[in-house]
Amino acid sequence: MRKGRFALVWALMALVCGAAQAALQVTDDNGVVVNFERAPQRIVSLLPSLSETVCELGQCARLVGVDRYSTYPASLTKLPQVGGGLDPNIEQIVALRPDVVLMATSSRAGERLRALGLKVVALEPKTHADVQRVMLKIGQLLDVPDAQRIWRAIDAAVMAAAQSLPAGVRGTRVYFEVNPGPYAAGEGSFIGETLTRLGAKNIVPASLGPFPKLNPEYIVRADPDLIMIGQRSVDGMAQRPGWMSMRAMRGQHLCVFTTDESDTLVRPGPRMAEGARLMARCLGERAPGGKASKGPAR
């Protein structure tokens, strides 16, 4: 009889321990603690970098809906699109019955979704350290044990891109335009951090913020050695007051990234290594200390 009681006690303890192990708790970037009974199987993502991270961790199949800008990998374009991160279609999201909604901290939709009974995790990478932290956090959320290994591979690839550059391009003063505001990537942004690791000098100091809107005269006065800009921004660039007087424009030390390349560069996620290779190629081919062939690199 006593043995039966002990067996029952041990069985109950094992059941409780198993339930405790299955339970999952995540604290998002807004400081909100979110509890799950198990790793989410149905995910809606409202930020491209988060969608890409889920896929990099090998869990693309768990995505049941994405925002309109989540276009990589290509398989995501076949999923239901639920609007943008700032203007999501709440009814459509609810209809997808997600176990969790991943979104940016800047999105205002979180409270509405929580009020409707959905679990929301807000994450927004802005620096290299953030990209690592978010990848590990999503790895924890999805019960993917090798997220750290994947991050190490990304970090090593950024380092390899830096080591591939000739010494002559070190110290190149770069202006990186994110969009035609003009909004620039400052030293404190993940793009600025990549430029620093590549040995370049950003003309936009960290004190101005990660992605400041600049007075075009500021760029003319700074007179960068090299300009990195997307195809969306390049039209009309030569007509900007004073721009043709800058050394980068006179010497055609200019890289124009395609739309797909720009998407890779401006998303702080697992394609950061590819972004580093694009910037390294630009520096190697277009910086005054590089090969510096004539005409803008495209």
Side-chain angles (χ1 to χ4, degrees):
M1 191 72 175
R2 185 176 296 177
K3 287 183 180 179
R5 288 200 197 95
F6 276 129
L8 182 59
V9 169
W10 279 110
L12 288 171
M13 288 178 65
L15 192 62
V16 170
C17 289
Q21 289 175 352
L24 178 64
Q25 187 178 87
V26 172
T27 302
D28 73 8
D29 287 356
N30 284 329
V32 177
V33 177
V34 190
N35 293 295
F36 299 87
E37 293 182 2
R38 65 187 184 112
Q41 300 302 305
R42 296 179 61 81
I43 304 166
V44 168
S45 173
L46 301 180
L47 191 65
S49 60
L50 301 182
S51 305
E52 292 184 18
T53 299
V54 170
C55 289
E56 186 70 17
L57 292 170
Q59 304 303 314
C60 247
R62 297 200 210 182
L63 288 165
V64 296
V66 292
D67 69 289
R68 69 171 69 95
Y69 304 108
S70 289
T71 55
Y72 183 89
S75 60
L76 297 187
T77 61
K78 299 176 183 178
L79 293 176
Q81 291 188 353
V82 294
L86 298 178
D87 61 341
N89 186 320
I90 302 296
E91 291 182 1
Q92 191 177 7
I93 293 172
V94 172
L96 290 171
R97 299 179 291 106
D99 299 323
V100 68
V101 179
L102 302 178
M103 62 169 49
T105 57
S106 53
S107 177
R108 298 176 182 175
E111 290 185 12
R112 290 182 62 194
L113 290 169
R114 290 189 189 96
L116 292 169
L118 297 184
K119 294 184 184 295
V120 175
V121 173
L123 301 167
E124 194 158 357
K126 296 178 181 177
T127 65
H128 284 205
D130 287 341
V131 173
Q132 178 186 19
R133 176 181 53 75
V134 167
M135 178 163 288
L136 297 183
K137 184 81 70 174
I138 294 179
Q140 174 198 357
L141 177 66
L142 304 185
D143 194 24
V144 176
D146 60 348
Q148 183 65 50
R149 177 187 61 80
I150 294 171
W151 163 255
R152 285 197 298 267
I154 293 169
D155 191 55
V158 174
M159 188 178 300
Q163 293 171 344
S164 72
L165 285 168
V169 306
R170 294 193 67 83
T172 299
R173 298 173 65 257
V174 175
Y175 168 65
F176 189 110
E177 184 163 303
V178 177
N179 66 43
Y183 285 91
E187 277 184 319
S189 67
F190 71 96
I191 295 172
E193 288 179 338
T194 299
L195 284 172
T196 298
R197 290 185 65 175
L198 294 175
K201 174 64 178 173
N202 197 321
I203 68 163
V204 183
S207 59
L208 292 181
F211 296 103
K213 183 176 183 179
L214 299 177
N215 183 324
E217 292 181 6
Y218 175 94
I219 304 159
V220 174
R221 289 197 303 270
D223 198 13
D225 302 317
L226 176 69
I227 294 172
M228 298 185 183
I229 195 166
Q231 187 66 54
R232 299 183 184 102
S233 300
V234 75
D235 292 338
M237 186 178 63
Q239 283 70 52
R240 296 180 187 180
W243 271 54
M244 291 310 296
S245 67
M246 292 192 297
R247 69 184 76 188
M249 297 294 285
R250 294 198 311 270
Q252 297 189 54
H253 301 300
L254 174 70
C255 293
V256 180
F257 299 113
T258 67
T259 299
D260 287 343
E261 288 172 341
S262 292
D263 285 346
T264 298
L265 286 160
V266 302
R267 294 178 180 176
R271 288 195 289 166
M272 198 170 67
E274 178 60 26
R277 286 190 285 267
L278 288 169
M279 285 188 266
R281 184 187 71 189
C282 171
L283 283 161
E285 294 180 356
R286 296 297 157 185
K291 297 176 186 177
S293 57
K294 291 295 182 181
R298 293 178 184 268

